Amino acid sequence: MKKYIFLLAVSCFAFGQQTPAPKQTQTILITGGKAHLGNGKVIENSIISIKEGKIAMIQDGTNFKPEKHDIYIDASKKHIYPGFIGANATLGLVEIDAVKASDDESEMGEMNPHIRSIIAYNTESGLVEAARPNGVLLAQIAPRGGRISGTSSVVQLDAWNWEDAVVKENDGIHLSWPRSFSRSGWWAEPGGIEPNKNYEKQVTEIQDFFNDAKAYFLANPAVRDIPYEAMKGLDTGEKTLFVHVDGEKEIVDAIVFKKKNNIQKMTLVGGYYAFKNIPLLKENNVSVLLRRVHDLPLLEDEDVNLPYKNAKLLDDAGILVGLQNAGDMERMQIRNLPFYAGTCVAWGMEKEKALQLITSNTAKILGIENQYGTLEVGKSATLFISEGDALDMASNQVTQAFIDGRNISLESHQTELYDRYKEKFEAQNKK
């Protein structure tokens, strides 16, 4: 029996998460790299000083002699980026889809604003460490299921536990707006489109819950109601209402709902047809976390390239837009987030504008722009160095990454397998 326990321990250790990096104690100077600041600006020959987890200096390094530092990193001919941010992610909530005990992304019931996804976030997930080698260093951990799914939080992706990981706790509540139409069949054999006869009833149920929450706060009862208590902050802007919605009519109805209930901050998640409601979005200051770029159009008669162009349509109109990755295999696919932005470049968007879709724009939407999303003095030194263009799958190769100035590991199960079989084939070639 003891033998089997020992073997299990060895197995768990071998495939466990990399040990989180210690707090920065030595000053770091990065020189010579092309710094993409995340705000549309670029410094060709940059010099970046990192002290106590913050960016102490960033400027053009030509003919500039900095003060002495403890560690020097030569980034000549390389690119430097702010850490990418994966919004609306279930990273760390599910490890193996087929194993129910490892699935914590949703809760029973319909109205669950009090369900906090951060409590279930597993920092030991192998999928967390698999995202970092492509520059994804932060994520919004969001719940799924029900009508009001719960409350999300923002984390950094190198931590011992969820308390260490939290960057912004309880940043917003996630609401799945009803669909006015439904489709029968499946993707290989799609059926017809039918109206949702219960649409108005479902919208009314949402309004009734919000009305009950308002009545609860006005009554100020002695006995606390936890779901209603979780609704605090939507009227003050402390929390954002993330409305998961794609349809044109549904988007209009959601914005009307925002005005009726005095919701200060609303973000559409998905927002596939948001480009058809641009004046309404601008008038009500509604941002969009756009549906996955690498996707098919929703209707058969639409431009097949619409998912690739959608971000540019919104950005050109002045809408604050970011990218997210919900959908099939979303936890595994989050490492492809930079390449979604790269696809937007291929379809007309300026490269530095596309970079903002997964850095500064997303940081603003999540309310963490004071510390993350751009390379600026005083902000967190959460950044990475790549040998090539980080938005290009062919050339992106992250060599070093820092979270709050901590030099984190880029090793994962995939890199271990690569090294293992590389040695095998190199040995065979020598024979």
Side-chain angles (χ1 to χ4, degrees), residues 100-238:
K100 189 175 181 179
S102 75
D103 188 336
D104 287 315
E105 69 177 350
S106 62
E107 187 57 84
M108 296 177 64
E110 287 296 303
M111 304 296 184
N112 296 314
H114 58 298
I115 298 300
R116 300 170 63 234
S117 58
I118 189 63
I119 299 297
Y121 175 62
N122 175 24
T123 58
E124 295 286 337
S125 171
L127 299 172
V128 170
E129 69 177 15
R132 299 193 306 236
N134 276 354
V136 181
L137 305 182
L138 299 121
Q140 179 197 40
I141 309 304
R144 299 285 189 265
R147 185 62 64 200
I148 299 180
S149 305
T151 300
S152 59
S153 295
V154 184
V155 300
Q156 51 86 5
L157 302 186
D158 183 64
W160 288 101
N161 49 51
W162 71 261
E163 290 97 335
D164 291 339
V166 168
V167 166
K168 184 176 182 181
E169 193 169 355
N170 304 332
D171 70 300
I173 292 174
H174 291 253
L175 165 64
S176 294
W177 197 262
R179 295 180 180 179
S180 60
F181 287 84
S182 62
R183 296 189 68 167
S184 58
W186 59 304
W187 69 267
E189 296 180 7
I193 299 177
E194 300 176 356
N196 177 8
K197 297 179 181 179
N198 295 316
Y199 177 73
E200 296 300 333
K201 176 184 176 183
Q202 291 166 348
V203 172
T204 300
E205 288 172 351
I206 297 171
Q207 185 61 63
D208 288 346
F209 185 84
F210 274 70
N211 290 342
D212 291 345
K214 289 178 185 177
Y216 166 81
F217 292 127
L218 289 172
N220 193 24
V223 179
R224 293 178 61 206
D225 185 288
I226 295 177
Y228 293 153
E229 287 283 339
M231 300 289 284
K232 284 182 179 178
L234 289 177
D235 59 338
T236 62
E238 182 183 349

Side-chain angles (χ1 to χ4, degrees), residues 390-415:
L391 305 189
D392 176 23
M393 187 179 293
S395 63
N396 181 30
Q397 186 173 346
V398 178
T399 55
Q400 280 183 285
F402 300 85
I403 293 180
D404 298 328
R406 299 178 296 112
N407 191 354
I408 68 170
S409 170
L410 294 174
E411 296 296 319
S412 67
H413 184 50
Q414 285 77 18
T415 61

Side-chain angles (χ1 to χ4, degrees), residues 80-91:
I80 305 170
Y81 297 88
F84 298 152
I85 308 168
N88 186 38
T90 54
L91 199 62

